[in-house]
């Protein structure tokens, strides 16, 4: 049985020593390792495009140990031998945002403790809201093409809900054992077209359900944004989710920056070219 404790390790340096000293009212964003890895792609794109600074990493006995070389470099010539680990933390003091990126799966039996440790840190730092980038299986609904994205939330601030409603993203209230049945914030006209969040979160969503439940138990305002996808190359879905998240950041942030307040061309990490292999030779189709 896993009994070790997670530890946040801050990178020493003049620019990061006091980076997270006062995070009261900041926004905390993280991905779930879920179907299609859409959340992780979106977080990578936001970190790369907004040029967020790495402030530290989590030593976690609950995740598979991972080390890789500069995964956010946008060109091969810009790879500088910067080692990245399983769970890293980035920040931007101007936008009052902290992002966690996870590049490894959680070990069997460690999901609840991983989530609990992260959220206890979030609670202690007094972040205003948590936003989770995740995904669910497209096969669970009949309208996954017309309603690609949906959201569910617990105790989330009204301004975040308004941001999603302006983008016409359906918002569903989660049904958990502690909360009991609840009404949809924005219900579909036909329940057959859009199953309950409890059903949608059952398959392929990683730690999403544990995060929603734990945020409710700890009274942490939390929004989960999910894309309905299938396994495969979901880079485009990740770009769409990054754009939605950037729009939410624009609408709820105290300070605006053109980099995240308008549709932009995201800075794609160079490493993504190796994820799905080279493009097929188009001559085979002629």
């Amino acid at each position: 049985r896993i009994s070790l404790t997670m530890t946040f390790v801050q990178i020493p340096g003049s620019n990061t020593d006091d980076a997270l000293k006062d995070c009261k009212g900041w926004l905390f964003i993280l991905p779930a390792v879920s179907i299609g890895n859409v959340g992780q792609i979106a977080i990578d794109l936001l970190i790369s495009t907004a040029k967020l600074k790495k402030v530290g990493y989590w030593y976690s006995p609950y995740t598979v140990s991972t080390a890789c070389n500069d995964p956010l470099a946008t060109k091969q010539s810009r790879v500088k031998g910067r080692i990245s680990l399983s769970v890293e933390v980035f920040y931007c003091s101007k936008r009052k945002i902290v992002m966690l990126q996870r590049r490894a799966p959680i070990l069997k039996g460690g999901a609840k403790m991983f989530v609990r440790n992260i959220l206890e840190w979030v609670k202690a730092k007094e972040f205003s809201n948590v936003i989770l980038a995740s995904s669910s299986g497209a096969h669970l609904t009949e309208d996954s093409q017309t309603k690609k994205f949906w959201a569910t939330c617990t105790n989330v601030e009204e301004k975040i809900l308004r941001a999603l409603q302006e983008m016409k993203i359906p918002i569903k209230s989660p049904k958990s054992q502690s909360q009991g049945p609840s009404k949809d914030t924005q219900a579909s006209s036909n329940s057959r077209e859009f199953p309950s969040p409890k059903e949608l979160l059952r398959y392929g969503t990683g730690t999403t359900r544990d995060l929603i439940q734990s945020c409710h138990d700890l009274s942490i305002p939390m929004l989960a944004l999910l894309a309905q996808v299938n396994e495969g190359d979901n880079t485009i879905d990740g770009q769409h989710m990054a754009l939605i998240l950037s729009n939410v950041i624009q609408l709820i942030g105290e300070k605006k920056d053109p980099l995240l307040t308008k549709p932009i061309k995201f800075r794609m990490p160079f490493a993504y070219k190796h994820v799905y292999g080279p493009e097929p030779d188009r001559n085979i189709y002629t």
Side-chain angles (χ1 to χ4, degrees), residues 4 10 39 70 113 139 159 162 169 192 222 268-269:
L4 298 177
Q10 189 160 319
D70 205 1
M113 286 302 299
H139 66 283
K159 53 189 176 182
R162 287 199 302 267
I169 295 176
R192 293 180 59 190
M222 187 264 194
M268 186 69 67

Side-chain angles (χ1 to χ4, degrees), residues 40-49 51-54 68-75 78-80 82 84 88 90 101 103 267-272:
Q40 292 167 288
I41 295 172
I43 296 299
D44 263 351
L45 293 176
L46 289 174
I47 292 172
S48 175
T49 304
K51 299 180 181 179
L52 300 188
K53 295 180 181 179
K54 186 190 298 185
C68 55
N69 180 24
D70 205 1
L72 294 175
T74 54
K75 293 183 180 180
R78 294 179 179 174
V79 176
K80 298 181 179 180
R82 296 170 179 167
S84 289
E88 296 183 314
F90 300 79
Q101 178 61 295
R103 305 186 186 282
R267 292 163 53 91
M268 186 69 67
F270 171 78
Y272 276 50

Side-chain angles (χ1 to χ4, degrees), residues 122-244:
V122 168
K123 186 82 170 178
K125 289 289 185 180
E126 298 185 272
F127 286 94
S128 62
N129 292 275
V130 171
I131 295 181
L132 174 69
S134 185
S135 51
S136 58
H139 66 283
L140 296 175
T141 64
E142 298 177 358
D143 59 349
S144 58
Q145 297 301 313
T146 58
K147 296 180 180 178
K148 171 68 72 172
F149 293 94
W150 65 285
T152 186
C153 59
T154 175
N155 304 320
V156 76
E157 293 183 3
E158 185 65 28
K159 53 189 176 182
I160 294 182
L161 296 179
R162 287 199 302 267
L164 293 175
Q165 288 167 355
E166 288 185 11
M167 290 181 278
K168 299 181 179 179
I169 295 176
I171 304 169
K172 309 288 284 185
S173 296
K175 297 178 180 179
S176 63
Q177 292 180 356
S178 62
Q179 290 175 288
S182 58
K183 295 182 180 180
D184 294 338
T185 305
Q186 184 175 329
S188 171
S189 60
N190 188 339
S191 60
R192 293 180 59 190
E193 294 179 0
F194 207 98
S196 69
K198 186 175 181 181
E199 183 68 21
L200 288 172
L201 295 172
R202 186 170 295 173
Y203 307 104
T205 57
T207 56
T208 303
R209 286 208 301 175
D210 288 332
L211 274 160
I212 293 173
Q213 185 64 60
S214 295
C215 280
H216 175 265
D217 295 342
L218 295 171
S219 299
I220 297 175
M222 187 264 194
L223 169 77
L225 176 65
L226 298 98
Q228 298 186 91
V229 299
N230 294 308
E231 288 288 2
D233 186 348
N234 297 105
T235 305
I236 299 299
D237 297 315
Q239 291 179 12
H240 289 168
M241 177 169 283
L243 185 57
I244 293 172

